[in-house]
Amino acid sequence: MKDTFLDLAPEGRVHRRVYTDPVIFKAEMERIYGNAWLFVAHESQIAEPGQYVTAHIGERPMIVARHTDGEIYVFANRCTHRGMKVCGARRGSKKRFVCPYHGWAFATDGSLIGIPHGKGYNGKIDPKDPGLALDRAARVDSYRGFVFACKAEDGPSLTDYLGPMTRALDNMIDRAPGGEIEMTGGGFRQRYRGNWKLHMENANDLMHASIVHASSVDAAQAVVDDMEDGEEDHALQMFKGNGLPLAMMDEVEIHGFSGGHSYMGGFYKEGPITQATDEDLVVAQYRKSMIDAYGENRAEDIMGWDTFNHLIYPNLILNPKHQQMRLLQPVSVDCTIVHSMCFRLKNAPEEMYRRSVRFLSALNSPASQITTDDIAMFNSIQIALDEADSDWIDLSRGLGHDRPHDDGGEIGAVGTSELPLRAQYAAWRDLMSQ
Ligand code: FES
Ligand SMILES: [Fe+2]
């Protein structure tokens, strides 16, 4: 009988094996990553036929390509001859993918189109055999330019899977006066020694920020104290934002949903990062272009939705207000790669994009003083959970006090509730027992 591991994650606590056991990791890859809709590309990266990016479904390398028929195909980056990775680049444009081992050639929809010296098979292999095509994801769909793939043939549609999280995608896109966003630049990748769930559990944990990130809060404050005049810049505001007193963190809204998704309200209270003041010339110019595009009421609605991290279970983190995205790639039970990138708002002042890149560097890059704090914690926790001193970790802060919300999910009685973590484990139990 299949082990569902449900006894390892009752409500409010989790057994350390869930973070350290390779058998559970394999089961997660099959049952969670094998059934979820996973972000694989943004359409702006593959606008033209032949353009492709490489991506992952769980630990499995994939290619996402725009074919000559104009459709997007997602297929395994694993040669059907003897298993070599067909494409080593992260993105580019090709007429065909030629395997670097023995030269089998595949079209941009994954079908096999050529075998060098094919007569050696004496007619026993037919390149047109669909079984020799690169293995396709069962379903591919796009939500307003965000391309997702799902390995499972059955299950909820993409919009049903995203549920209320479509609002985060909508808001990110609607913030562009031109109604579209583009992923034009590259991004960062960071590998940490720790389980993938540690990052998801941290991203909407309002209890940790002022404690774990105290050193960068203090450093930013020291710089501000030394400044003679002039405006504090964005990075300083970002670093200081983590230093909000816990009583004020409790005022921040924290939302959790079935399916494991969650988001938090905004917690920057001051400075240019809030985009609240027209004294900032860039914001004033941006606001004007939004009003021209949408009318005043709608523009204020879009710009006024003050939220921070939106977590789409199991591995996507969006920050619509600052056009940021993080994507987790689980590598093994104790190793994860974090991809971070940002978007350009079409028809917004160019300085808005520069701010978004600065935000990415300051908060979500390997050079960030904030990310490095979090990663140091993940490393330390992973090592500790490998040891048998104590078997359980606790996720019960606020348990029993979360309330139903009219957005269809729940809201924490206080911002420091561990509601998002419990929502993730409710989804984990659900998917692991399928
Ligand atoms: S492994 Fe790809 S052609 Fe041989
Ligand atoms: Fe953090």
Side-chain angles (χ1 to χ4, degrees), residues 102-150:
H102 312 95
W104 285 28
F106 300 88
T108 46
D109 64 353
S111 54
L112 179 62
I113 50 174
I115 300 179
H117 205 43
K119 65 183 180 186
Y121 287 105
N122 304 308
K124 292 201 173 115
I125 273 195
D126 175 7
K128 293 200 174 56
D129 176 356
L132 293 174
L134 300 176
D135 191 28
R136 280 189 195 155
R139 291 183 290 165
V140 178
D141 201 356
S142 172
Y143 184 85
R144 297 188 65 185
F146 287 78
V147 184
F148 291 78
C150 181

Side-chain angles (χ1 to χ4, degrees), residues 78-86 98-106 114-116 121:
R78 180 192 186 284
C79 183
T80 43
H81 177 219
R82 272 160 53 187
M84 178 68 189
K85 203 180 235 191
V86 170
V98 178
C99 178
Y101 200 176
H102 312 95
W104 285 28
F106 300 88
I115 300 179
Y121 287 105

